[in-house]
Amino acid sequence: MAFPEPRPQAPELPQKLLKTLDCGQGAVRAVRFNGGRPPLYIPSPAPPEAGGPVTPACCSPVDGNYCLTCGSDKTLKLWNPLRGTLLRTYSGHGYEVLDAASSIDNSSLCSGGGDKTVVLWDVASGQVVRKFRGHAGKVNTVQFNEEATVILSGSIDSSIRCWDCRSRKPEPVQKLEEARDGISSVKVSDHEILAGSVDGRVRRYDLRMGQLFSDYIGSPITCTCFSRDGQCTLVSSLDSTLRLLDKDTGELLGEYTGHKNQQYKLDCCLNERDTHVISCSENGKVFFWDLVEGALVLALPVGSSVVQSLAYHPTEPCLLTAMGGSIQCWREEKEGGAG
Amino acid sequence: MAALDSDSDEDLVSYGKGLEPLEEGERPKKPIPLQDQTVRDEKGRYKRFHGAFSGGFSAGYFNTVGSKEGWTPSTFVSSRQNRADKSVLGPEDFMDEEDLSEFGIAPKAIVTTDDFASKTKDRLQEKARQLAAAAAPIPGAMLLDDLITPAKLSVGFELLRKMGWKEGQGVGPRVKRRPRRQKPDPGVKIYGCALPPRGSEGSEDEDDDYLPDNVTFAPKDVTPVDFTPKDNVHGLAYKGLDPHQALFGTPGEHLNFLGGGSEGASNLLGNVGLSKGRKLGISGQAFGVGALEEEDDDIYATETLSKYDTVLKDEEPGDGLYGWTAPRQYRNQKEPERDLRYIGKILDGFSLASKPLSSKKLYPPPQLPRDYRPVHYFRPVVPATSENSHLLQVLSESSGKAGQDPGTYSRHQLNASKRGQLLGETPIQGSATSVLEFLSQKDRERIKEMKQVSDLKAAQAKARSLAQNAASSRLQSSTPDLGHCSQHPTLGSWSAATRASNFKPFAKDPEKQRRYEEFLAHMKEGQKDALERCLDPSMTEWERGREREEFARAAQLYVSSHVTLSSRFTHAKEEDDSDQVEVPRDQENDINDKQSAVKMKMFGKLTRDTFEWHPDKLLCKRFNVPDPYPGSTLVGLPRVKRDKYSVFNFLTLPEPTSLPTKPVSSEKGQQQHGSDKSRKLSRWDTSKLERKEDSISEFLSLARSKVGPPKQESSPLVNKEEERTVDKGAASQPEGEGSRPSMDLFKAIFASSSDGKSSSSEEEQDDSENDQEGTEEANFQSSQEVAMVESAVTHTAEPVPCEPAAPFPIQKIQIDEREEFGPRLPPVFCPNTRQKLETPQREKHKKNKEKHKMKKEHRRKREKKKKHKKHKHKSKQKNKKPEKSSSESSDSSDSRSDEEETADLSPRELLRRCTPVVQ
């Protein structure tokens, strides 16, 4: 007996504060969920703009059960955010940790920090597997590629370096030095590298086509991300604006304003179903916009100071925010059940 | 176990484990057959009873050691977490477990700890201690030690004592009678003094007989045998200078040669007690005689080295002949006695040999014959030919083989060819004995000629030199083989000249140069008179002197500069043109227009730049993506070489795509695939097209695009482009040739235009020149460029003259937009066109069109606003000269006037101008 497909419901936004963790590692520079991102290219024919339900394919081991916090006290910590338990502390950086990422199989972590190094960690043992030195400035952002064979790191030395985790070479595989100013954000898909730079451009390196697409935004880019269907890129810049660009043409699909982002490198993201755009703000709130309509849906008050970083659960409506020295875990109103 | 369980035999003591009781039906086990009774070690391996150590290389995996590979190396591992501790390896580290076991070479014996070790005063130790105390610089220091160390008795000691044992007794049941002391074996000879008394028993020995019967005695305390391991590197039984003797000057002491170590020690200590009543103390020459010392007779009677043997010799010093060798007969006479009366100390475990060793017999070397001379002459080998048969005969006669004819040579004296001759074989042609035989006939002739010439020269030189300095004895002496000798140097000089051809100090004077080279050759052969030989004999003395000096200096210079430098440097792999610098070929163009586009939220084509970007091969591999440019070795953005100090490097280029990659491909293009080539080709064509669009034709195409959808455009040129880009692999050279002018045309243009450094840089400049106002050079080149384009157009684009309908407003818009964004060329259409061309299958086609419309509207709006600015910018537009190429030339002013003219023209006028040219 076949039940009719449930009607697509409006997604619940995570607005219930589940937990506040005091990380005890100075200011939390970034908070990241573990696991990889769900696959960007979803076979679903309906684009998110059409309002069709985008169901994340759970074939890949997308996790999201744990989170990483990058502290200004040179440590990286692995938490279970729902239970609030500290699982492991990774120390070995020489300066504050600015970004971290986890491999899709959860076996290794990478992090970059103010000590200009990119560190590859072994999750289980907590040991430094490799340290990649070569950046001339602090490393703003790190990402694994899909198979965690390459670490891409963006630094304020305006270069993106692709470090090979497989070989023992100390040099990067390739340096992407097209940017004219510091790299603030790097995101990776299966064949693309998306980089936002302070020079006001979003560059997308398409490895498959062998082309570089450079979109001029004007204002310094603070964060970029792909949409989960891989069709769009979300770009936030220091003019307190988020823009949704068509990936292929660079056309503007949507603009989201209302938050405040004029000084800091703040994160933005899309929610798990690409229905909402979420961004940190300098006024202590997290802003939710409807992706299609561009209307401000929710301004989630987190605290009084700057929301430094946020991370959205890859599959569930669960949001992590970082403010000061603590992180907050937010869930949807009616909890559980989401599977 | 069984014994314990049963109550009946409680009084039985059972040792070990009882056999398991047999079951009823079970038969007793068969004994293990002999072949199965093997001895295995603790690892289950067969134990070997042979080998180097206890088990030999018993360990291992099929008789290797440790592992299949053999010794497992202990690798040095140190990490941040596990610091390797520096360990000093002892021999035990290289031993197997078996070696450390009980029967191994280094048994780990169980050693009694201090708690259980007996602290009874060992007599020997005690004595040794006393001796050490005597020898110590401060006598009595050891006594202090004794006082300080606590009298700790071991457990065993206490136990024994509780059992009734007293110190000084032996352990064991008491005996009735003391066992009779063994008399020394008469077979054992004891030399010298009698054995020293063993402890106290000596005195007791005598009154053995008087002991009553009912008295039992404790057994004798047995002094354990002192097995002191030898832990020094001295020779066996070496005894250092005895401090006792040295200090107390008992010269006779060292003659007390009998006795083992322990006995000697005991003896010694007995003497310590006597020591002539002298106190223990420091005395001797160095200290003189103290005021309290009674006797001073002995001051200088200290030991001297002469009392010691300095030489190993037969006699012992005991014979009184200190160092003096006795006459032979005396010694001979003494010799038999020596066997018996060996006075030296016999080492433990050794006994004297009963018969002397038979001495080796020495045989004298053989007597040499009287007429022997230790020099060997090799007789020259002369091939047996008809000419020198006489010589051969003489030789063979001299060597004593006169009577032999060739046929009677023994088999071993014949070589292969001789044997062949004897057998009647035809000699093998192939076997070349000289390098010369490999040369072709012509070369051989040439060499021969050269030889003749040089012979001639040498002969002349010889004649001259003979005539001139007849006194030169060296030349005279070398006369017999002069022909041979002189033809070599000349050849050598010839080769030297070829080698050193790059250094010709006397190139102006060929004769002198020749002489110099000759001189060099002579020098190379190490001839001292090289200078004298090669100097022109017809010159005056002064001239020759000067030349000699010159040659010497030149040779020195040549050596120092050429050889030393070439030994240190190598040739550059690439010519470094220092005035060139690599710059990315495509650069993001100026942001002014983009900024305004952003302001208007016109994201998309206005804000987008597309570049060719080459990912690293490895990166592609890691991303599981096929290499988009399989043939290219480029990584990153394509780069071109440009003048380092060119203005153009620092100007942003409005035109990222329109680069002819001809020079690039010619530089690196060898390894590029066909598909790549076709890509390049198409890009070339594209760029051409675009360049055309840069100027007026851009408007044309725009107009066309406005008229009809760009894809359905009827222009065969564009279609062709599309075609080619779509099936890149299929595109081929001739096809491309059909649609564009031949290379000769380009060559003609480019050859005339520039110094031919790199046309790509030129064209870069062309691309950039839109940005430049008042750069004459750019103007010049642009004019050329336009000329080229024009010519290209004449060749190819018949259908370009488009429908004159409608386009005017659009053109106007276009122009206006230009104005709005300043003098620069907007990048909008360049990447656009390229994108369209390269990827004609675009899903967003419709979207694009809509966008276009939107933009149009925008432009219209803006146009109205900015119209007043128009005239200001007009004058700066340079690239719109539709002038014919033949007429325009390097004259920049000309083109300028042209351009000013065109600037004022309306777009319609422009179009009109354009069309005749195109036709």
Side-chain angles (χ1 to χ4, degrees), chain A residues 127-128 145 147 149-150 152 162 164 166-167 169 173-174 176 178 180 188-191 201 203-217 243 245-252 255, chain B residues 80-81 587-591 594-595 598 601 603-605 607-616 618-620 622-626 628-629 635-637 834-835 838-839 842-844 847-848 851:
Chain A
Q127 303 292 350
V128 175
N145 73 333
E147 294 186 343
T149 51
V150 177
L152 293 115
C162 310
D164 193 357
R166 289 267 175 88
S167 69
K169 270 193 301 184
V173 177
Q174 189 171 5
L176 315 177
E178 281 74 36
R180 305 280 174 80
V188 187
S189 79
D190 59 344
H191 68 282
R201 285 176 193 268
R203 290 179 181 79
R204 185 166 61 86
Y205 300 86
D206 195 322
L207 275 87
R208 210 173 265 166
M209 291 170 68
Q211 279 189 314
L212 160 62
F213 302 96
S214 165
D215 285 321
Y216 182 80
I217 303 298
R243 291 180 180 87
L245 302 179
D246 189 299
K247 195 182 79 177
D248 290 327
T249 61
E251 286 163 20
L252 184 68
E255 212 174 26
Chain B
R80 206 172 285 130
Q81 281 76 36
Q587 287 181 352
E588 287 155 348
N589 28 358
D590 196 48
I591 56 171
K594 292 190 174 160
Q595 267 172 349
V598 165
K601 298 190 179 174
F603 288 94
K605 280 151 201 156
T607 57
R608 168 157 282 200
D609 297 309
T610 309
F611 307 109
E612 185 180 315
W613 175 71
H614 295 249
D616 195 274
L618 185 60
L619 196 65
C620 287
R622 293 277 184 263
F623 270 79
N624 286 330
V625 164
Y629 304 96
V635 170
L637 295 183
R834 188 175 162 216
Q835 270 176 8
E838 287 192 352
T839 56
R842 266 274 142 113
E843 305 85 19
K844 312 253 171 173
K847 236 185 195 170
N848 285 351
K851 203 83 190 181

Side-chain angles (χ1 to χ4, degrees), chain A residues 11-330:
Chain A
E12 285 276 341
L13 292 179
Q15 25 187 330
K16 185 185 166 201
L17 179 61
L18 204 70
K19 203 147 223 144
T20 301
L21 296 177
D22 190 13
C23 294
Q25 50 178 354
V28 177
R29 294 299 183 205
V31 58
R32 301 281 178 255
F33 270 110
N34 76 322
R37 297 143 298 112
L40 286 169
Y41 294 99
I42 293 160
S44 156
E49 290 93 330
V54 179
T55 48
C58 295
C59 47
S60 61
V62 174
D63 202 327
N65 292 332
Y66 308 105
C67 76
L68 293 162
T69 55
C70 308
S72 62
D73 71 339
K74 313 173 192 175
T75 60
L76 182 69
K77 287 187 176 180
L78 180 67
W79 304 83
N80 185 333
L82 299 177
R83 294 188 183 174
T85 48
L86 172 66
L87 300 173
R88 195 172 272 284
T89 303
Y90 303 89
S91 50
H93 266 292
Y95 211 69
E96 60 178 359
V97 189
L98 292 176
D99 196 12
S102 135
S103 69
I104 194 149
D105 58 353
N106 288 324
S107 68
S108 47
L109 307 174
C110 64
S111 65
D115 56 355
K116 307 176 190 175
T117 60
V118 176
V119 179
L120 179 65
W121 305 87
D122 184 47
V123 170
S125 67
Q127 303 292 350
V128 175
V129 178
R130 292 193 64 185
K131 263 194 183 184
F132 300 101
R133 295 184 175 84
H135 273 300
K138 60 181 182 178
V139 180
N140 270 333
T141 172
V142 288
Q143 281 283 307
F144 272 115
N145 73 333
E146 275 208 334
E147 294 186 343
T149 51
V150 177
I151 298 175
L152 293 115
S153 61
S155 160
I156 62 163
D157 68 356
S158 78
S159 73
I160 302 167
R161 293 177 197 228
C162 310
W163 308 95
D164 193 357
C165 303
R166 289 267 175 88
S167 69
R168 304 289 301 172
K169 270 193 301 184
E171 299 90 22
V173 177
Q174 189 171 5
K175 284 194 261 182
L176 315 177
E177 292 181 305
E178 281 74 36
R180 305 280 174 80
D181 208 334
I183 304 289
S184 56
S185 168
V186 167
K187 290 286 155 56
V188 187
S189 79
D190 59 344
H191 68 282
E192 294 158 310
I193 301 164
L194 182 71
S197 167
V198 184
D199 65 0
R201 285 176 193 268
V202 181
R203 290 179 181 79
R204 185 166 61 86
Y205 300 86
D206 195 322
L207 275 87
R208 210 173 265 166
M209 291 170 68
Q211 279 189 314
L212 160 62
F213 302 96
S214 165
D215 285 321
Y216 182 80
I217 303 298
S219 173
I221 311 292
T222 59
C223 187
T224 58
C225 52
F226 285 110
S227 66
R228 298 200 192 264
D229 64 346
Q231 302 287 323
C232 316
T233 56
L234 182 68
V235 178
S236 77
S237 52
L238 279 189
D239 53 355
S240 297
T241 312
L242 273 81
R243 291 180 180 87
L244 189 70
L245 302 179
D246 189 299
K247 195 182 79 177
D248 290 327
T249 61
E251 286 163 20
L252 184 68
L253 299 174
E255 212 174 26
Y256 312 95
T257 52
H259 67 302
K260 186 176 169 227
N261 184 5
Q262 286 161 341
Q263 299 179 54
Y264 303 117
K265 176 184 168 298
L266 301 183
D267 287 343
C268 65
C269 64
L270 291 155
N271 71 341
E272 86 280 6
R273 286 159 64 182
D274 270 355
T275 55
H276 286 80
V277 171
I278 304 151
S279 171
C280 302
S281 173
E282 287 171 17
N283 53 12
K285 288 177 180 173
V286 172
F287 284 73
F288 290 76
W289 293 271
D290 191 287
L291 181 127
V292 181
E293 295 157 13
L296 181 65
V297 177
L298 174 69
L300 185 69
V302 177
S304 55
S305 65
V306 181
V307 183
Q308 289 169 353
S309 176
L310 60 77
Y312 206 91
H313 195 282
T315 52
E316 289 170 34
C318 174
L319 178 73
L320 291 177
T321 56
M323 174 183 281
S326 60
I327 60 169
Q328 294 83 25
C329 178
W330 306 81

Side-chain angles (χ1 to χ4, degrees), chain B residues 428-439:
Chain B
I428 305 160
Q429 292 296 325
S431 62
T433 55
S434 160
V435 192
L436 286 176
E437 286 177 31
F438 289 111
L439 295 176

Side-chain angles (χ1 to χ4, degrees), chain B residues 607-841:
Chain B
T607 57
R608 168 157 282 200
D609 297 309
T610 309
F611 307 109
E612 185 180 315
W613 175 71
H614 295 249
D616 195 274
K617 277 201 184 59
L618 185 60
L619 196 65
C620 287
K621 206 171 148 190
R622 293 277 184 263
F623 270 79
N624 286 330
V625 164
D627 194 350
Y629 304 96
S632 111
T633 53
L634 223 92
V635 170
L637 295 183
R639 288 171 170 269
V640 286
K641 275 196 173 173
R642 276 199 242 157
D643 290 348
K644 208 185 244 172
Y645 305 110
S646 166
V647 200
F648 306 115
N649 291 339
F650 307 105
L651 295 166
T652 51
L653 305 175
E655 190 55 84
T657 52
S658 66
L659 278 170
T661 47
K662 199 74 193 172
V664 175
S665 64
S666 69
E667 279 171 17
K668 330 193 170 184
Q670 264 72 24
Q671 65 267 58
Q672 280 171 352
H673 283 309
S675 66
D676 226 17
K677 220 178 253 173
S678 76
R679 171 183 277 268
K680 299 290 182 202
L681 236 183
S682 70
R683 292 198 36 209
W684 166 273
D685 287 348
T686 316
S687 64
K688 195 180 53 166
L689 191 81
E690 280 164 5
R691 206 172 303 114
K692 200 167 60 203
E693 285 169 359
D694 286 355
S695 50
I696 33 147
S697 51
E698 182 180 320
F699 303 145
L700 295 181
S701 70
L702 208 141
R704 259 180 274 130
S705 71
K706 296 304 166 194
V707 168
K711 290 288 176 264
Q712 291 139 18
E713 201 171 34
S714 63
S715 156
L717 176 67
V718 178
N719 278 348
K720 236 175 224 167
E721 295 294 337
E722 280 175 23
E723 231 173 70
R724 212 171 299 130
T725 44
V726 167
D727 52 349
K728 284 169 189 167
S732 61
Q733 194 72 21
E735 202 180 328
E737 293 289 65
S739 63
R740 65 185 180 125
S742 69
M743 278 310 297
D744 295 348
L745 182 64
F746 289 126
K747 270 181 193 161
I749 295 162
F750 283 115
S752 65
S753 72
S754 73
D755 47 350
K757 225 179 210 168
S758 90
S759 51
S760 81
S761 67
E762 252 175 43
E763 278 151 23
E764 276 295 313
Q765 291 160 8
D766 284 331
D767 298 327
S768 62
E769 45 99 56
N770 294 325
D771 296 336
Q772 277 121 62
E773 284 87 3
T775 311
E776 302 298 314
E777 189 191 2
N779 264 337
F780 168 53
Q781 281 175 352
S782 79
S783 60
Q784 282 175 344
E785 188 62 31
V786 169
M788 189 203 78
V789 167
E790 297 289 327
S791 57
V793 166
T794 49
H795 270 258
T796 58
E798 276 82 25
V800 169
C802 58
E803 309 80 85
F808 306 113
I810 299 148
Q811 283 164 23
K812 238 182 180 175
I813 286 162
Q814 186 59 30
I815 290 162
D816 291 346
E817 190 187 330
R818 271 169 176 284
E819 286 159 8
E820 185 189 324
F821 293 125
R824 291 158 188 87
L825 250 185
V828 196
F829 297 100
C830 324
N832 244 359
T833 43
R834 188 175 162 216
Q835 270 176 8
K836 266 185 229 157
L837 291 173
E838 287 192 352
T839 56
Q841 289 338 50

Side-chain angles (χ1 to χ4, degrees), chain B residues 339-354:
Chain B
D339 284 340
L340 291 176
R341 292 179 49 207
Y342 178 73
I343 317 176
K345 195 170 78 179
I346 297 171
L347 299 177
D348 294 340
F350 287 85
S351 62
L352 279 175
S354 55

Side-chain angles (χ1 to χ4, degrees), chain B residues 476-494:
Chain B
Q476 295 279 9
S477 67
S478 65
T479 313
D481 54 349
L482 188 85
H484 170 80
C485 171
S486 58
Q487 95 190 25
H488 259 282
T490 36
L491 272 178
S493 74
W494 172 67

